[in-house]
Amino acid sequence: MELTATWTTPGPAPAGLSPALVEWCRRHRVPPPTSAPDLPALMAQAFGRMDRSWFLPSAALPPDAVNRDPAHVGAGPLMAAGALPDPDRGCIIAVIDDAIPFAHQHLRLPGALSRVASLWVQDARVDPDGPGRDLPWGIELRGDRIGGWLGGLESGAIAAEDAVYRRAGVVAMDRRTTHSAAFAAGHGAAVALLAAGFAPDDPRARDHPVIGVTLAPGVIADTSATLAQDPLLAAIVFVITRARMLCRQVEAEHGLPVDSVRLPLVLNLSLGLTAGPRDGTGLLERFLDALATHASTGLGPVHAVLPTGNHRMARLRATLRPQGRIGWQLPPDDATQTPLDIWGPVRPTRPDWPMRIGLTPPGGTEARTRFCAPDQSSTLRDGRGRDLGRAFYRVMPHPDGWRECMTLIMAPTCPAAAGDSWAPPGRWGLTLVQGDGDHAVSVQRDDVLRGFPREARQSWLSQPAYADMDARGFPVLLDPQTAGPARVQRADTVNAYATGRHGLRVGAVDRCGRGLAYVSLIGAAQGGDLLACVDRSQGRPGMIVRGRTSGSFAVMSGSSMAAPQATRWLAGHLADGARPDSRAAIIRLAQGATDVPVPVLPTEPRRD
C-alpha cells in the first residue's frame, strides 16, 4: 500500500534556537530555553565572571548535579605554590572532553603535587561548600585539593587511584548516569594524556599546567550534539576564567605587578559536528575566533586545536541543485530523532521566496514544504494523522549577506513506547523543488559511542553514482570531477566546529605519513592544516594511548587522537617563546621542521 504524507500549514517556530533542540525538548516534554547566548555576552563572561543561567535539560543530568543557586566565588588559589609554572615559560593546556583522569601519574609532579589547576566535572553531585559555587552544574576540583588526595596515595592512606575518584565524587555508582569516569580506558583519558601528559620528573611538566572540563555523559552520549552548545560554551568560558585566575596566582606568588603574567593557552576540543552552517558562522566557531583575536589583559594568546573529523566516507554530505534528487536512508531500530540540514548559498539580500523541499517516504508519494516566511515550522503527517517528522525554515545572517536553512527532523524509526509517533525506515527521497544555486546537505552524526546506551543509528545519504571502492577494490578517496544536480561527496566533510577562521585543524596519517581514508577533508582534498601519526598502517588502525589508571593502556584511532598531539606540540613552542599570530603562522612554524605544504608533526619519543 502506498504511503501518503503531507506537510501541515506552517506555523511560528522559536527564533534563535536550534531546531533540533526545540524538537528534542518537545519530544521529551521539557521546556526549551527562553533565550540563546550571544557572542558579546560570552566574551563579557570569559573576561569577567560566569553569571549566566546556562541551559541543559534535567534529562541530561542527575538531579543532584544541578546548582539551584549559583553564586559568585572569589578568585582564591588554584594550585599548590610548588606546582605553579614559570611566569616566563609557562603554557596552559586546556582539555574539554569526557572523564579526564586527574589522578593519573602523568598529571602529577614529584611531592604529590597536581598539575591540574582546575577541573570542572559537569555531572558530579553539587558541593555547596566547594570552590565551584559559580557553576551551573557539577563541581570544581582544584589542584591544591587534588594534591591532598595524591599525598594519600603516596603514603598508602588511599589504596588506589579509583578511591580518589570516589572520594572526589566523580565516580558514584549509586547515581543515575553513565559512569564513564570508571571506564578502564576512555576518550577523555586518551586525549588529555596525549595533550598534557608528562612523566612527573620531565622538566617540561611543571610549565604545562592543565585546566579541564569533563562534560556530562548525557552530552557526550548524544553524538548529534543536540544538547551540546550551552555545555561547550560554558566549558570554554570556564577555561578562560580559570586561566586568568591562574595567571593572577602566579603573579602573587612571584610578587609581580597585576596583569604582567600572560600565559598562553592552547585549548584542545577533540569533539566534532557533521552538520550546521559549516562556514564559520556558528556561535561556537565565532566564539573561538573572537578569543583568538581578543587583545585581552590578564591572559596570553588563545589557540584552539580541533580534529578534522572521521567522516570522509560516511556519506553525510551532499550538494543538491534545483530539481536534483538524492536518497536519505533511515535505518530501522533507531530510538532517536534524525536531523538533516539543507543550507542555501550566500545571498546579498534576504530571499524573496523560501526554498521548497520535496520529501518522499519509502514506497510513497512526494510531500512538498510550503513555507512563506522565516522562523516557521511544519509537521509531516501520514494519512492516519501520525507525525513522521518536522521541518524548520530559517534565514540566517552571514557576513556577506544571508543564508536560507531548512532543517528536517525525522521521528525515531523505533518508538520508545506504544502510541509514540515513528517514521518508516528505508530510503527516503529528498528533492530541491525551489531554490537557486548549490545547496549543501548535511546529515547530523547519530551513532553510538562505546560504553554508552545503544539507542541511536546513523542515517546516511545515497546516490547510485557514488562508489566506495574502485574496480581494484581500493577506496575511492576523492570525488570525481563530474557533478550532476545531486552529488554525495567526500569533499568538505571537515568537522563543523573547525570551520572558523583561526582554529587549527588536525588530521591523521599512518606511520608512513600516508593519509587515511576515514579522515575528513577541508575543501576538495586537504586532510588538515597539520597532520599527526595515529594509525599503524592503512590496514591496522589505532595507536597505543594511556588508559584511566596509571600504567594502563588502550588502542584508539581517529583524528581526535591527532589533535592532542598538535596541542602538545604547539604548547611546547609557546612555552619556548614562539608567538604565531594566525593559523598560517602555526603552519609555517611546523614547516620549519618538515618543509612540506601540509606538515606531519614529528612523533615524540616516549619518556616513560
Side-chain angles (χ1 to χ4, degrees), residues 78-93 109 114-115 117 203-210 243 246-247 249-251 253-254 256 261 263-264 575:
L78 295 180
M79 306 180 75
L84 291 172
D86 187 299
D88 298 319
R89 291 184 54 82
C91 178
I92 302 168
I93 298 176
L109 293 171
S114 174
R115 288 179 43 234
R204 300 168 297 175
R206 188 181 304 274
D207 290 331
H208 291 294
V210 179
L246 181 58
C247 290
Q249 185 182 353
V250 173
E251 290 166 355
E253 179 66 24
H254 290 270
L256 299 171
V261 173
L263 299 178

Side-chain angles (χ1 to χ4, degrees), residues 114-436:
S114 174
R115 288 179 43 234
V116 177
S118 181
L119 177 69
W120 179 12
V121 185
Q122 290 190 346
D123 73 320
R125 183 181 286 114
V126 170
D127 178 3
D129 300 320
R133 293 191 299 276
D134 58 333
L135 302 175
W137 336 283
I139 59 172
E140 179 183 6
L141 302 175
R142 293 188 175 179
D144 54 352
R145 188 180 184 192
I146 296 172
W149 291 318
L150 297 181
L153 275 177
E154 294 193 1
S155 69
I158 299 177
E161 290 174 17
D162 186 68
V164 171
Y165 299 124
R166 292 178 182 271
R167 291 193 183 196
V170 174
V171 175
M173 293 298 181
D174 60 335
R175 301 175 68 236
R176 178 186 59 81
T177 184
T178 298
H179 298 279
S180 55
F183 291 176
H187 190 270
V191 168
L193 294 165
L194 278 171
F198 291 91
D201 60 348
D202 190 320
R204 300 168 297 175
R206 188 181 304 274
D207 290 331
H208 291 294
V210 179
I211 297 176
V213 179
T214 290
L215 296 170
V219 174
I220 293 291
D222 177 24
T223 58
S224 68
T226 298
L227 308 176
Q229 176 173 277
D230 271 25
L232 284 175
L233 294 174
I236 297 170
V237 169
F238 172 86
V239 165
I240 299 299
T241 57
R242 270 41 179 188
R244 293 171 59 241
M245 289 169 61
L246 181 58
C247 290
R248 305 292 78 76
Q249 185 182 353
V250 173
E251 290 166 355
E253 179 66 24
H254 290 270
L256 299 171
V258 176
D259 287 346
S260 63
V261 173
R262 301 185 181 182
L263 299 178
L265 169 68
V266 185
L267 169 62
N268 189 98
L269 185 62
S270 281
L271 302 170
L273 192 67
T274 57
R278 305 179 56 81
D279 57 8
T281 60
L283 183 57
L284 187 142
E285 299 93 278
R286 290 189 289 121
F287 187 27
L288 292 176
D289 281 345
L291 292 172
T293 56
H294 182 65
S296 69
T297 57
L299 185 64
V302 177
H303 297 277
V305 180
L306 305 102
T308 54
N310 307 318
H311 295 93
R312 184 198 307 200
M313 310 292 281
R315 291 179 283 178
L316 306 184
R317 289 273 290 144
T319 298
L320 198 58
R321 294 176 179 171
Q323 305 307 313
R325 180 184 175 89
I326 209 160
W328 182 18
Q329 192 77 28
L330 300 186
D333 195 32
D334 185 357
T336 62
Q337 64 187 33
T338 301
L340 174 146
D341 282 351
I342 305 165
W343 287 85
V346 178
R347 305 179 188 277
T349 59
R350 293 174 70 99
D352 296 328
W353 299 99
M355 74 167 82
R356 292 188 70 190
I357 298 298
L359 193 61
T360 307
T365 56
E366 184 180 72
R368 296 183 174 185
T369 58
R370 41 201 175 107
F371 291 109
C372 54
D375 298 321
Q376 291 185 328
S377 68
S378 178
T379 302
L380 183 68
R381 292 186 174 139
D382 65 13
R384 299 182 182 180
R386 296 177 298 189
D387 293 353
L388 305 180
R390 185 167 291 197
F392 294 80
Y393 175 71
R394 297 170 291 163
V395 178
M396 307 296 288
H398 186 276
D400 298 324
W402 302 87
R403 286 189 79 183
E404 292 180 284
C405 177
M406 184 91 72
T407 299
L408 306 178
I409 303 175
M410 305 307 297
T413 57
C414 177
D420 286 359
S421 60
W422 57 281
R427 188 176 187 270
W428 291 65
L430 184 66
T431 307
L432 179 61
V433 177
Q434 179 176 287
D436 297 327

